[in-house]
Amino acid sequence: MDPDLTQKSLSFNSARFLISASKLDECPPDHGAEVAFAGRSNAGKSSALNAITANGKLARTSKTPGRTRLINFFSLNREHARLVDLPGYGYAKVSRDMKDDWQQHLGHYLNDRRCLRGLVLVMDIRHPLTDFDQMMVEWCEHNHLPLMILATKADKLKFGQAKTAMLGIAKKLKEYQCVEHLIMFSATSKRGVDECREALTHWLEASEQAPVEA
């Protein structure tokens, strides 16, 4: 292990594309620490990743939401620390068989990836807690996986409206132990970027953590 990579402070600006995988056996070796980003198509996941890494081209933003069906891995300047962009859910113009296959492989990643340290669930603050969002929250709760929620596109609302929306989300999630962070976020104004980076750093730098239960 390169000592320079283990001693450096974590920098999200260092994020670089590593590899894409369509199934679990194509993923990088299952050691180190990963944080995965999930979200319904159109929730602003790619824009959020680009804002967090200060790289407007890191994650592809598409006018056809849900086009990306691969699990994309990004390396950081700390050895074996990675960010993972999971396929967007919904809206994808693919066959049902292809969608079922894609969701099955996504399930394998979430259930079997031992180095997964936390999940970032990206949701549109104007349309929060969709069926998909609720399913992901329930999954994290069941598997004792730390969850961060980014309520994106906050710039689309007046601040008072955004605060009210955040209170509503928090009220609905108060019974869930897995929710460690609920962050008002805007890729446009960069609101919430620093708070998100701080939480990600804590997860990725945790040297020991109980593995996710299958």
Side-chain angles (χ1 to χ4, degrees):
M1 184 178 291
D2 185 342
D4 289 339
L5 285 176
T6 59
Q7 297 302 319
K8 285 181 180 178
S9 59
L10 201 57
S11 169
F12 293 97
N13 296 27
S14 71
R16 297 292 182 271
F17 174 75
L18 181 62
I19 195 172
S20 292
S22 63
K23 50 190 176 181
L24 195 63
D25 61 11
E26 296 174 357
C27 296
D30 193 0
H31 56 261
E34 291 175 355
V35 173
F37 285 70
R40 186 171 175 80
S41 300
N42 243 14
K45 177 167 57 68
S46 295
S47 296
L49 263 168
N50 291 343
I52 291 161
T53 58
N55 184 342
K57 297 180 180 179
L58 187 77
R60 294 182 181 180
T61 55
S62 173
K63 291 183 179 178
T64 307
R67 185 177 65 180
T68 302
R69 297 187 296 277
L70 299 174
I71 301 172
N72 294 305
F73 293 82
F74 303 96
S75 63
L76 295 168
N77 67 327
R78 183 72 62 86
E79 192 160 23
H80 305 311
R82 295 175 294 272
L83 300 179
V84 184
D85 185 12
L86 300 177
Y89 177 87
Y91 296 127
K93 295 180 180 178
V94 296
S95 71
R96 179 173 294 277
D97 286 346
M98 186 180 292
K99 188 175 291 189
D100 289 346
D101 184 57
W102 153 36
Q103 290 172 9
Q104 180 182 7
H105 290 307
L106 181 58
H108 288 164
Y109 171 83
L110 289 170
N111 283 310
D112 300 332
R113 193 70 172 168
R114 311 304 292 178
C115 64
L116 184 61
R117 293 289 179 262
L119 184 75
V120 180
L121 180 57
V122 180
M123 61 178 73
D124 188 330
I125 193 171
R126 302 166 299 174
H127 312 289
L129 295 172
T130 63
D131 288 346
F132 168 77
D133 299 330
Q134 193 65 46
M135 179 179 72
M136 296 306 295
V137 172
E138 297 280 357
W139 185 89
C140 288
E141 184 76 359
H142 177 75
N143 290 281
H144 309 291
L145 184 71
L147 177 64
M148 180 194 313
I149 291 177
L150 296 187
T152 60
K153 306 188 182 183
D155 56 286
K156 303 290 187 184
L157 297 177
K158 293 180 179 179
F159 185 70
Q161 293 174 316
K163 288 289 287 184
T164 300
M166 292 294 288
L167 289 170
I169 297 170
K171 184 177 180 180
K172 291 178 180 178
L173 294 174
K174 65 180 180 180
E175 66 186 84
Y176 294 97
Q177 301 296 315
C178 64
V179 181
E180 293 192 358
H181 306 279
L182 173 56
I183 300 173
M184 186 191 298
F185 193 92
S186 168
T188 302
S189 71
K190 304 302 184 285
R191 173 182 288 277
V193 168
D194 288 343
E195 186 180 353
C196 179
R197 286 176 173 172
E198 185 177 342
L200 289 171
T201 299
H202 176 73
W203 283 353
L204 289 167
E205 290 187 342
S207 57
E208 295 290 336
Q209 179 165 321
V212 177
E213 296 176 8

